[in-house]
Amino acid sequence: MLGAVFPFLYYFNKNYDVTFRGKLQDIKPDSRFTKELSDDTRAANHVESNAKYDVIDSQMQDEHAEKPIISDVTKATTKPAISEYLLNRPRLWAELVASGNTSVKRKQLPRLIGIGVEKCGTHAFLHFIKPHPLIKVMHNIEAHFFDERSNQPISNYLAMMPEVGPNDFVMEKTPAYFSFPPYQIPRLIKTHVPQAKIVLILCEPAKRVYSDFVHEWAWHNISHNWSGIDKFATIQDYLKVYLPKMSSAFLPYNESTSSL
Ligand SMILES: Nc1ncnc2c1ncn2[C@@H]1O[C@H](COP(=O)(O)OS(=O)(=O)O)[C@@H](OP(=O)(O)O)[C@H]1O
């Protein structure tokens, strides 16, 4: 896959000057590489383009002094040609991470909240996203605040979070936050933590049910005081309990329950 992407990016960068606005008509042939130019002109263009990087560098350095670095990254990714962005990207990331490495750390409400669905790979998602240098996952991972402590003040939720730098994104995931219509918990989250992006992972329902059965069975057998679904030996026993429980959670669909 990567083997296919890199030659494409190389060809693309070499032959086109892309103004990074996402529209096809903005992609223009780059005059620096067209055949009719003499070698001298190409050399002059090369010097000119290097000078352009210096200007961008100095502009970005000036701007860092006044504004949060994050807005500079947005500028750097939207204004210059994509080749300039690719050249500057490692430095931008290093600066962004370093600028958040201050001694001033504060607790932050999550900016990413995984709400489920249980048994659809929510741990795998966390595993993939955790190495990101700006994502800080809360220590216990699952806060269970909105399902178990929703009567408490939001300051208690904040108290559960790690202390982080200004550019960091705190994440927690509690698959039990996913609720079937009328979506009470996601709505509650949106009300109390409006800045948070809610991540919902879905998977094939039959696979999910079987995974849930194995999970519940294992918990029941490992922990005898497990208060989940009642004792069951087979998936048929499980479905007898699970299906009525799920169908009672559904309400008829209407406008008032679909406004999330
Ligand atoms: N990448 C990816 N994509 C899809 N599914 C994946 C992935 N990685 C793990 N899995 C399977 O997800 C199941 C565990 O889901 P969760 O991590 O959400 O479980 S939990 O709700 O936190 O207990 C569990 O399913 P079962 O093995 O069938 O039980 C995992 O195998």
Side-chain angles (χ1 to χ4, degrees), residues 64 67-74 92 95-97 99-100 167:
H64 292 170
K67 294 177 192 154
I69 190 165
I70 202 152
S71 64
D72 296 338
V73 172
T74 314
L92 286 166
E95 286 180 8
L96 184 60
V97 173
S99 76
N167 291 336

Side-chain angles (χ1 to χ4, degrees), residues 36-168:
E36 38 313 342
L37 290 184
S38 69
D39 285 350
D40 284 351
T41 315
R42 286 185 199 198
N45 281 340
H46 186 67
V47 170
E48 187 197 329
S49 87
N50 277 344
K52 215 156 70 172
Y53 296 141
D54 290 345
V55 171
I56 290 168
D57 277 358
S58 65
Q59 275 173 355
M60 287 190 340
Q61 275 155 18
D62 287 350
E63 286 165 5
H64 292 170
E66 302 162 18
K67 294 177 192 154
I69 190 165
I70 202 152
S71 64
D72 296 338
V73 172
T74 314
K75 261 188 199 159
T77 56
T78 51
K79 265 194 174 171
I82 194 164
S83 52
E84 289 160 358
Y85 165 62
L86 289 175
L87 280 176
N88 279 297
R89 191 167 58 175
R91 183 175 58 76
L92 286 166
W93 272 108
E95 286 180 8
L96 184 60
V97 173
S99 76
N101 247 346
T102 64
S103 55
V104 187
K105 300 214 186 284
R106 292 210 183 114
K107 284 185 179 289
Q108 181 197 94
L109 282 173
R111 296 198 212 173
L112 276 178
I113 302 180
I115 62 167
V117 174
E118 281 167 308
K119 312 315 298 175
C120 282
T122 58
H123 264 95
F125 174 68
L126 199 73
H127 179 76
F128 297 138
I129 204 168
K130 218 173 159 181
H132 192 291
L134 297 178
I135 305 269
K136 302 287 177 308
V137 178
M138 73 164 276
H139 179 58
N140 290 334
I141 302 177
E142 299 194 6
H144 282 282
F145 182 80
F146 294 99
D147 56 329
E148 291 177 1
R149 281 166 255 187
S150 59
N151 56 342
Q152 297 183 7
I154 205 74
S155 54
N156 288 14
Y157 187 46
L158 180 65
M160 299 168 83
M161 299 303 148
E163 295 194 335
V164 297
N167 291 336
D168 291 333

